[in-house]
Structure formats: structure tokens, C-alpha cells
Amino acid sequence: DAGVTQSPTHLIKTRGQQVTLRCSPKSGHDTVSWYQQALGQGPQFIFQYYEEEERQRGNFPDRFSGHQFPNYSSELNVNALLLGDSALYLCASSLAGGFRNTIYFGEGSWLTVV
Amino acid sequence: AQKVTQAQTEISVVEKEDVTLDCVYETRDTTYYLFWYKQPPSGELVFLIRRNSFDEQNEISGRYSWNFQKSTSSFNFTITASQVVDSAVYFCALSDLFGGSARQLTFGSGTQLTVLP
């Protein structure tokens, strides 16, 4: 049973560039959320996708956008990168409905903006 | 607004000691989930436990145990007979519910646990 998988694992981008991060949810899960974790801090919620629509969004600028595909996989796009966007980006998946759902995380994508 | 406070930034213990990680939360919701995650240096958040707001039964799983007290808004985590492999950052998190599903997680700032041999 594959868990949450993310790619790429590490990447370095230049300020002003654009980046796309990818996530495949755990088998059977239909909901994907993205989090940003700066060094030494707890993860911060970016947004959540369900049925290919953004269901909830955290306090992040429009430079952060996402997409969910029919197979439930998801992408996170960040435009006009800033040095402050350097962080670990975590993808989480869960199954909508039913109170026993659990949220699982991938290993993350380490983004460095120089 | 939801808030999670982990007052202990760093804890260091010697192997085989018991250690308790504190978590205090704030929410206006009457139903919610509480979580504990472990984050080793690799970065992946490893799920440890989820507790529903209407289930205050404490739980023990091997060397791990959790004490949920709604009256004090606390959800503390205890590791018995700690081991070096327990060294990691531990996060407490809170989630509201929508249609019975957990939505966004609000995390505390984490507690770095170091277990010395």
C-alpha cells in the first residue's frame, strides 16, 4: 500500500522563477492538502483540494496555486518565487467523510530559493 | 481562530526515562480532531494518534500514551522508557471538521526531543 509520494525531493530555484511540486495521495484517499514548513517552525496550511476543487485556503498569496487531477493527484505551483518561499513543502492526503479519517503526510519537497 | 501551543521547545532525557510532551489548544468549535505527529530529520510527518473531541478516553499504545482533558484543553503525550530512536520533533495539531471530515490542521511549533544513550 503506497503512502503519500511527492516529487521532486529537493530543488533549487532562482528568485522570480516558478516552481511546480507534485503529490500522489495514499491509495484510496481523495483529499489532498498542502503545507509549508519553514525551518524550525510548524507546518502552515496552504490549501486543500477535494473533487478537483479548492475547498479551503490558508493565509497565502495568490502566487500559490494548485490543481487536483481526476486521479486525485495534485500539484502546487508557486510563481514569482521569493527568498522567503524557501521551505519544506508537505503534501497530506485523507479520505473525505467518516469521522475516523486520518491525515497522512509525504516526505516533502525541499525548496531552496537563491 | 484555532491555536495550538507547545510550550516545551526542547527536551533532553536519558534513555529509559519517561518523558511527557505538553500540548494546549484553543478552538471555538465543539467538535474537532487532535493529532500528534513525529518528524525525524528526513522531514516526513509520521502519524501517531488522532483523537475526536467527544472521546476523552485516554489511550495507550505500546510505549506511547495520550492524556486528553477537554476541561483544560490539553492533549499531552507520554513516551515510557524512551529510546534513542524516539529522538525527533513532535508536533501537536488541531483540525476542525466539515461534513465529518478533518479540514486544515493547525500545528504547534513543535518540541524537539533528544534521547541520550
Side-chain angles (χ1 to χ4, degrees), chain B residues 23-75:
Chain B
C23 173
V24 175
Y25 63 93
E26 296 176 27
T27 181
R28 295 179 181 176
D29 296 324
T30 55
T31 55
Y32 48 88
Y33 285 132
L34 292 163
F35 297 79
W36 274 97
Y37 286 89
K38 172 183 179 180
Q39 187 175 45
S42 63
E44 179 182 4
L45 282 169
V46 178
F47 167 77
L48 296 176
I49 190 172
R50 179 201 66 247
R51 173 63 69 225
N52 304 318
S53 56
F54 46 84
D55 179 7
E56 291 194 64
Q57 182 177 7
N58 293 321
E59 181 168 338
I60 298 174
S61 176
R63 296 185 299 108
Y64 297 165
S65 63
W66 290 270
N67 185 347
F68 175 35
Q69 293 193 343
K70 207 169 181 178
S71 60
T72 57
S73 297
S74 65
F75 186 43

Side-chain angles (χ1 to χ4, degrees), chain A residues 49-110:
Chain A
Y49 277 86
Y50 171 67
E51 291 188 340
E52 302 180 51
E53 291 190 0
E54 183 181 291
R55 185 161 73 171
Q56 194 179 18
R57 187 178 183 94
N59 188 25
F60 278 80
D62 292 343
R63 297 187 298 108
F64 289 78
S65 63
H67 187 77
Q68 186 179 34
F69 299 94
N71 67 352
Y72 307 122
S73 66
S74 176
E75 289 182 350
L76 164 65
N77 300 291
V78 186
N79 295 321
L81 285 167
L82 304 174
L83 296 179
D85 294 331
S86 295
L88 174 65
Y89 288 85
L90 293 161
C91 174
S93 77
S94 58
L95 178 62
F99 69 89
R100 297 199 68 81
N101 67 85
T102 296
I103 301 172
Y104 292 94
F105 283 82
E107 292 193 1
S109 294
W110 294 89

